[in-house]
Amino acid sequence: MFRRRQVWLPTPWGVLVLTAAAAGLVAWLLRAANGFLALDEPAVLPDGRPAPVLVIEGWLGEDELAQAAVIFRRGGYRRAITSGGPIESFATFPSFAERAADFLRRHGLAGLPLDAVPAPKTAQDRTFASAVWVRDWAADRGVAMEAFDVVSSSVHARRTRLLYRMAFGPETRIGVLSTSPASYDEQRWWTSSPAFKDLFGEILGLAWTKCCFWPGRPGSHEERWAVPAPGAPAHRAQAPP
């Protein structure tokens, strides 16, 4: 009923070495996490040309929107689209998409093809809802979206690309470009409390999106789990003009 076994246990020096190695690995992973999430991977067309359309998330701060304007000019894009849902507090513009489009026109993109595509208030992931409305807006107006890039904020970039890919499907080539936050240094994010919260929030958000977010087939009620605009059909909020 009993058997004698030999169990190997580390010596005090062994415990110290293993603890130091584990701490070093954790520190390396944390330093690398920002670069993993704050992705810069532009899309290209099948013939190798860069994507012609740039989608800009409208909720970005003004400093980041200014960076997006620079990205547009340097990238040789032919069209810009701003996305985003309603601004619920009292504001000049009803949606983040329209607010961003106004800012970009006043900061270097006036006279260029620039469209605001507001999304409705939604119970789904707001980035995903914005992607769905951009997809349907482009389909309704015949705007080619074979390949495009999305500008997102720092560590939100990787999850943004994932959600846009979920909305558009595998046939569309989607790249992403990240802006740098104005409130902290990305290379030393661990010295900032807001950066710490942003990074770990995005790690959890990315994990949840990969394992638990199943929006339903394109055009379904499950995909469009949104609050319709006043007067819109119950199954679909009105597309922006």
Side-chain angles (χ1 to χ4, degrees):
M1 295 180 62
F2 299 93
R3 179 181 298 176
R4 190 175 194 177
R5 294 180 181 271
Q6 187 175 22
V7 178
W8 288 79
L9 296 173
T11 65
W13 278 107
V15 172
L16 182 63
V17 170
L18 291 173
T19 301
L25 177 61
V26 170
W28 180 83
L29 289 173
L30 290 177
R31 288 177 68 93
N34 191 90
F36 175 76
L37 296 172
L39 197 60
D40 282 311
E41 287 186 3
V44 294
L45 291 163
D47 60 7
R49 289 179 295 130
V53 178
L54 185 67
V55 177
I56 300 167
E57 292 203 289
W59 58 268
L60 300 177
E62 291 190 349
D63 182 75
E64 292 177 298
L65 288 174
Q67 294 176 51
V70 173
I71 290 171
F72 181 89
R73 292 193 295 268
R74 289 180 178 174
Y77 298 96
R78 297 198 295 270
R79 178 187 292 273
I81 297 171
T82 57
S83 66
I87 301 175
E88 297 184 359
S89 59
F90 177 78
T92 305
F93 300 97
S95 72
F96 286 103
E98 291 155 304
R99 163 189 166 271
D102 176 78
F103 179 91
L104 292 167
R105 290 190 183 102
R106 291 186 288 106
H107 291 80
L109 301 192
L112 298 173
L114 172 59
D115 299 284
V117 182
K121 182 179 179 181
T122 177
Q124 288 275 38
D125 187 293
R126 287 170 294 181
T127 298
F128 178 78
S130 294
V132 168
W133 255 255
V134 168
R135 181 196 70 198
D136 291 351
W137 174 90
D140 290 344
R141 287 153 181 78
V143 176
M145 299 290 281
E146 180 184 5
F148 65 91
D149 293 330
V150 186
V151 176
S152 188
S153 177
S154 186
V155 293
H156 189 58
R158 183 173 287 274
R159 185 156 64 102
T160 291
R161 185 178 66 172
L162 173 62
L163 289 163
Y164 268 79
R165 285 178 170 177
M166 292 173 74
F168 277 81
E171 300 82 11
T172 305
R173 296 169 179 247
I174 303 174
V176 68
L177 298 163
S178 62
T179 59
S180 298
S183 58
Y184 58 86
D185 180 3
E186 285 184 298
Q187 303 307 314
R188 294 177 56 81
W189 63 265
W190 57 89
T191 64
S192 167
S193 175
F196 192 90
K197 293 176 182 177
D198 287 349
L199 187 137
F200 279 92
E202 282 302 323
I203 290 174
L204 294 175
L206 182 64
W208 178 82
T209 300
K210 283 182 172 292
C211 78
C212 306
F213 184 60
W214 304 101
R217 59 180 179 78
S220 67
H221 175 68
E222 290 76 15
E223 183 191 54
R224 299 173 175 280
W225 195 256
V227 178
H235 68 282
R236 177 177 178 179
Q238 290 178 330

